[in-house]
Amino acid sequence: MICVVDIDRTQVGPPAVCLIGTWRTTLCAACMRFMLLFSRQGKLRLQKWYTATAERDKKKMVRELMQVVLARKPKMCSFLEWRDLKIVYKRYASLYFCCAVEEQDNELITLEVIHRFVELLDKYFGSVCELDIIFNFEKAYFILDEFLMGGEIQDTSKKSVLKAIEQADLLQEEDESPRSVLEEMGLA
Amino acid sequence: MSDVVERTLTALPSLLSSDPSPGRPSSTSKLGTLIRGITELTSKHDEEKLIQRELVSIKEQVSSPNTTMRQMKELMVRAVYCEMLGYEASFSYIHAIKLAQQGTALDKRVGYLAVSLFLNESHELLLLLVNTVLKDLQSTNLIEVCMALTVVGQVFPKDMIPAILPMVEEKLNHPKEIIRRKAVLALYKFYLIAPNQVQHIHSKFRKALCDKDPGVMSASLHIYLEMVTEKPESYKDLVVSFVTILKQVVGGKLPIDFNYHSVPAPWLQIQLLRILSLLGKNDRSTSEMMYEVLDESLRRAEMNHNITYAILFECVKTIYTIHPKAELLEKAAKCIGNFVLSPKINLKYLGLKALTYVVQQDADLALQHQMTIIECLDHSDLIIKRETLELLFRITNGQNVKVIVEKLLEFLRHSKDDYVTIDLGGKVTELAEKYPSEMISSSLWCMNE
């Protein structure tokens, strides 16, 4: 259901509408609210919000949610309920990937979205580790935005996400020392 | 010309000498130093001091006229980092916009990224970005066009949509699939925030649906799912198309590149299943057009990977939503059974969820699995318990209401979550109203918690 809600009204439960803070929010039928990456020590490594949320609310939610997820034991379900959302999370080595989705969503899909993201990161960085993401988090964001536009996963050919990133990366290399290569190709 | 540049860029990786990991800045960069500095600290107070110092330094540098765009890019990354840790750096917002405006290539890309992370749709500064986006949309450099479309698909002021709409529409005909795809996604975003603005271009969505590139077609499904959710009657004529596409996907007709763990375009399949379920609901003739492909989907999805389970779940949901067909229902029921009985906890959860969904139509199914359901009631994982209670709530009748309410109350007593309390409390009240005679016992009214 698409609903445009007035500022300052909060509703819980179907139709899937929720207001956080004082921003107006429009939600689509099935979308992700936000994704967080954090370490086992509770250090945030990446946060992407797909709905307008006030800063102070973001901080509060992140803090709370990290505590909840970090308290989970290994054999437990990858899904949990938190506020009016479903949280889907998975730990890869020392990093927790955590997504918040609407109640009605198919949580298993989200689990696979996370996995796809990890696979892309792995391919891009070559055996990715937490350090790669920490020191290159803006690259992680680029990849995320490429395959998860506005919270919706894009089913694309494997190549196209990474190709798009790599091409843009190459622009920088081009700036730095490309002249000889381009000249070789007769383009400069 | 841009085509040549494109080809060059594609060829460059093989020309450049071994660089297995593209663009890995050293951890001795300023960002690296900052991060390591933070990691070494132990107290929150120290972290605050360090970040505040950092922010002062960043603020000084961004305001300096001598700062190059390259340096600005680096500063913005650090500002994003500080904000991510929860410290306010709003002085940098305007510089992010300037970076997107004045920077080139990677600098611009970081500028756009910073803007999408710092600002939201209603932020007034976003208006300043509009001209930059308009300019980049017309760039001969396709990568800049992509960047512009990406940011439009994420944050764009609603009121400025008319200014940019024609240009985005134009991109729908671009020879490059990535541009067409991003244009579709931008229009999807517009549809979500201002549906009236895109009323007139529904025919273009149809064209996107028939695009030869599966990625573009897949992107158009987001819009269709929205539109079909709102008004299924208007899209019944597309059922044949959706069914045909699903058939082709399931039959492996897409390029192998679209496979995810040997499953062809799984997310695309799921979108189609959702659309079909909305179209077939309460409509016998439409449903009849889908039975074959649903049967095929069930057959093809072998139970061996999470993503096939996800597809099966959607398939099952669809089968139970549309006009019923006995053979399909039987297969779907079997599927649910496999989920519920699975030792894998995530699948068990999904099985319970599916049971909850179908129980109104097929109460017998729940009965069949009642032993498992009872086991799940005492499961150590709260979410399983909760889902079981949800299921029980739906199969309450005069005989079992007392037991079920007791279980609900027990869960309530231990629940610390406000939302859960409200939800379950509501359910208990509902049951009390429905079966007043069975609930007279005063102990059941200890609901003041």
Side-chain angles (χ1 to χ4, degrees):
Chain A
M1 314 297 156
I2 304 177
C3 292
V4 176
V5 185
D6 286 338
I7 294 180
D8 283 340
R9 268 181 57 212
T10 314
Q11 253 174 283
V12 171
V17 167
C18 179
L19 253 193
I20 308 167
T22 55
W23 304 105
R24 193 190 301 238
T25 309
T26 316
L27 298 177
C28 52
C31 72
M32 194 177 295
R33 295 281 197 87
F34 59 82
M35 183 189 283
L36 305 175
L37 264 67
F38 51 90
S39 71
R40 278 197 287 178
Q41 288 75 35
K43 291 255 192 287
L44 195 58
R45 300 302 185 199
L46 196 140
Q47 59 172 354
K48 183 80 188 189
W49 294 77
Y50 293 106
T51 53
T53 313
E55 280 310 315
R56 64 172 182 281
D57 289 324
K58 280 190 198 175
K59 272 168 83 163
K60 186 151 178 271
M61 289 165 83
V62 168
R63 214 177 26 235
E64 252 184 63
L65 192 52
M66 284 208 285
Q67 272 182 346
V68 171
V69 173
L70 288 170
R72 299 283 286 177
K73 306 195 187 48
K75 289 272 163 54
M76 291 172 119
C77 216
S78 306
F79 322 124
L80 59 97
E81 277 186 336
W82 180 75
R83 301 193 178 195
D84 62 329
L85 297 170
K86 280 271 157 63
I87 305 294
V88 180
Y89 72 96
K90 189 151 178 194
R91 190 169 78 107
Y92 289 86
S94 55
L95 212 51
Y96 279 92
F97 286 70
C98 186
C99 296
V101 294
E102 298 294 323
E103 274 281 352
Q104 301 91 333
D105 266 354
N106 176 341
E107 292 92 335
L108 214 50
I109 299 177
T110 313
L111 204 55
E112 287 308 297
V113 167
I114 292 177
H115 193 72
R116 176 108 158 112
F117 185 32
V118 172
E119 285 183 345
L120 286 168
L121 288 169
D122 200 44
K123 187 103 193 287
Y124 178 78
F125 286 109
S127 286
V128 68
C129 63
E130 192 187 341
L131 285 180
D132 291 321
I133 300 180
I134 297 173
F135 288 107
N136 301 277
F137 69 88
E138 81 275 14
K139 296 278 167 71
Y141 272 119
F142 291 144
I143 296 175
L144 184 63
D145 284 343
E146 207 50 50
F147 100 104
L148 202 63
M149 264 281 260
E152 306 267 0
I153 184 159
Q154 305 307 312
D155 217 329
T156 58
S157 84
K158 258 198 280 281
K159 290 193 230 140
S160 75
V161 172
L162 293 177
K163 192 161 132 199
I165 309 287
E166 281 160 12
Q167 281 180 350
D169 282 346
L170 286 170
L171 278 175
Q172 182 185 23
E173 308 238 9
E174 193 186 292
D175 281 341
E176 284 164 4
S177 66
R179 199 75 62 113
S180 49
V181 180
L182 285 179
E183 273 173 348
E184 265 170 43
M185 303 204 77
L187 289 169
Chain B
M1 179 57 203
S2 54
D3 216 21
V4 178
V5 176
E6 266 252 296
R7 272 187 266 130
T8 311
L9 293 177
T10 322
L12 273 175
S14 50
L15 295 170
L16 297 169
S17 54
S18 59
D19 184 8
S21 42
R24 240 178 173 146
S26 69
S27 55
T28 53
S29 67
K30 300 226 180 77
L31 174 69
T33 315
L34 170 62
I35 294 175
R36 271 200 325 278
I38 302 263
T39 318
E40 279 157 21
L41 297 171
T42 42
S43 84
K44 182 80 182 173
H45 178 65
D46 286 338
E47 181 187 280
E48 260 180 58
K49 269 174 52 190
L50 179 63
I51 299 275
Q52 292 304 348
R53 253 184 307 170
E54 185 74 25
L55 284 173
V56 165
S57 157
I58 296 177
K59 191 167 185 179
E60 225 176 84
Q61 291 174 68
V62 297
S63 324
S64 153
N66 299 324
T67 308
T68 65
M69 283 298 122
R70 179 60 50 88
Q71 288 165 327
M72 187 66 86
K73 171 185 77 150
E74 200 277 315
L75 289 162
M76 284 301 109
V77 171
R78 273 189 280 155
V80 167
Y81 184 75
C82 294
E83 279 228 338
M84 180 163 71
L85 292 186
Y87 299 90
E88 188 250 318
S90 48
F91 62 85
S92 52
Y93 297 174
I94 184 73
H95 297 282
I97 296 193
K98 272 168 65 182
L99 183 60
Q101 247 168 26
Q102 296 163 18
T104 53
L106 204 51
D107 303 335
K108 187 189 275 281
R109 190 159 70 140
V110 171
Y112 273 138
L113 175 68
V115 168
S116 75
L117 292 171
F118 287 150
L119 306 178
N120 63 58
E121 260 130 40
S122 11
H123 204 288
E124 60 239 356
L125 276 183
L126 215 46
L127 293 170
L128 297 173
L129 192 69
V130 177
N131 278 330
T132 313
V133 169
L134 280 170
K135 184 162 145 270
D136 284 333
L137 280 179
Q138 300 178 76
S139 168
T140 48
N141 183 334
L142 294 181
I143 294 182
E144 286 181 0
V145 177
C146 282
M147 288 186 210
L149 284 171
T150 303
V151 93
V152 166
Q154 296 186 80
V155 282
F156 197 76
K158 191 164 87 165
D159 300 326
M160 299 303 293
I161 291 181
I164 202 174
L165 192 53
M167 217 167 292
V168 175
E169 277 182 65
E170 197 201 314
K171 300 293 178 225
L172 287 174
N173 301 317
H174 200 277
K176 280 267 145 206
E177 66 78 27
I178 190 171
I179 307 259
R180 291 200 303 276
R181 181 161 55 84
K182 284 181 186 279
V184 173
L185 292 170
L187 292 173
Y188 172 54
K189 177 75 174 178
F190 293 168
Y191 183 82
L192 288 180
I193 61 179
N196 303 320
Q197 306 274 14
V198 294
Q199 284 299 347
H200 62 287
I201 54 174
H202 283 201
S203 55
K204 305 216 174 150
F205 296 154
R206 295 220 173 188
K207 193 155 166 246
L209 183 63
C210 307
D211 197 291
K212 61 181 188 288
D213 181 272
V216 179
M217 179 264 291
S218 183
S220 76
L221 289 181
H222 295 300
I223 305 184
Y224 275 106
L225 183 56
E226 288 306 310
M227 299 197 294
V228 171
T229 307
E230 262 181 63
K231 253 178 112 188
E233 324 80 63
S234 314
Y235 299 96
K236 301 276 174 143
D237 59 322
L238 285 177
V239 174
V240 178
S241 311
F242 292 134
V243 168
T244 312
I245 298 174
L246 185 54
K247 265 206 186 104
Q248 288 178 333
V249 176
V250 168
K253 300 282 183 353
L254 286 187
I256 201 156
D257 258 344
F258 283 84
N259 280 7
Y260 174 72
H261 293 267
S262 315
V263 180
W267 289 284
L268 176 50
Q269 286 190 47
I270 288 169
Q271 289 276 80
L272 285 167
L273 287 168
R274 288 183 175 168
I275 291 176
L276 287 176
S277 88
L278 289 167
L279 290 172
K281 192 171 183 184
N282 299 327
D283 183 336
R284 183 187 186 135
S285 51
T286 307
S287 300
E288 280 170 358
M289 295 197 261
M290 306 175 193
Y291 293 150
E292 195 191 322
V293 75
L294 287 171
D295 192 47
E296 182 78 17
S297 303
L298 273 182
R299 223 171 36 82
R300 293 268 188 161
E302 283 152 25
M303 308 261 275
N304 56 7
H305 191 279
N306 263 349
I307 196 69
T308 48
Y309 300 140
I311 296 176
L312 280 171
F313 182 81
E314 290 295 321
C315 230
V316 163
K317 254 180 103 170
T318 307
I319 291 172
Y320 273 95
T321 311
I322 63 177
H323 196 267
K325 175 157 194 217
E327 293 92 356
L328 277 181
L329 286 174
E330 212 180 290
K331 291 187 185 167
K334 190 147 174 268
C335 213
I336 298 181
N338 287 337
F339 277 20
V340 171
L341 296 169
S342 168
K344 297 193 191 155
I345 197 170
N346 288 344
L347 292 183
K348 207 184 266 293
Y349 170 78
L350 230 60
L352 289 170
K353 201 167 163 160
L355 268 181
T356 313
Y357 188 77
V358 313
V359 83
Q360 270 126 4
Q361 295 178 43
D362 190 355
D364 279 345
L365 195 55
L367 216 57
Q368 237 184 310
H369 297 286
Q370 59 181 340
M371 284 318 299
T372 316
I373 295 175
I374 292 173
E375 272 167 33
C376 289
L377 257 186
D378 292 315
H379 206 281
S380 52
D381 194 334
L382 284 181
I383 192 112
I384 299 275
K385 246 175 141 154
R386 175 98 164 82
E387 197 58 42
T388 317
L389 288 172
E390 193 71 44
L391 173 57
L392 290 177
F393 170 69
R394 271 156 228 263
I395 57 175
T396 317
N397 54 39
Q399 279 84 37
N400 58 26
V401 62
K402 243 175 142 167
V403 175
I404 290 180
V405 170
E406 251 166 48
K407 287 286 176 190
L408 284 170
L409 287 175
E410 197 186 309
F411 193 89
L412 258 179
R413 249 171 248 133
H414 297 119
S415 161
K416 301 183 194 76
D417 192 310
D418 286 338
Y419 283 78
V420 171
T421 309
I422 294 172
D423 185 53
L424 286 185
K427 291 192 158 73
V428 174
T429 318
E430 217 182 295
L431 290 176
E433 283 168 5
K434 214 168 157 188
Y435 303 97
S437 48
E438 286 88 348
M439 307 263 286
I440 288 174
S441 160
S442 56
S443 62
L444 290 171
W445 287 101
C446 301
M447 270 193 46
N448 39 6
E449 43 235 299

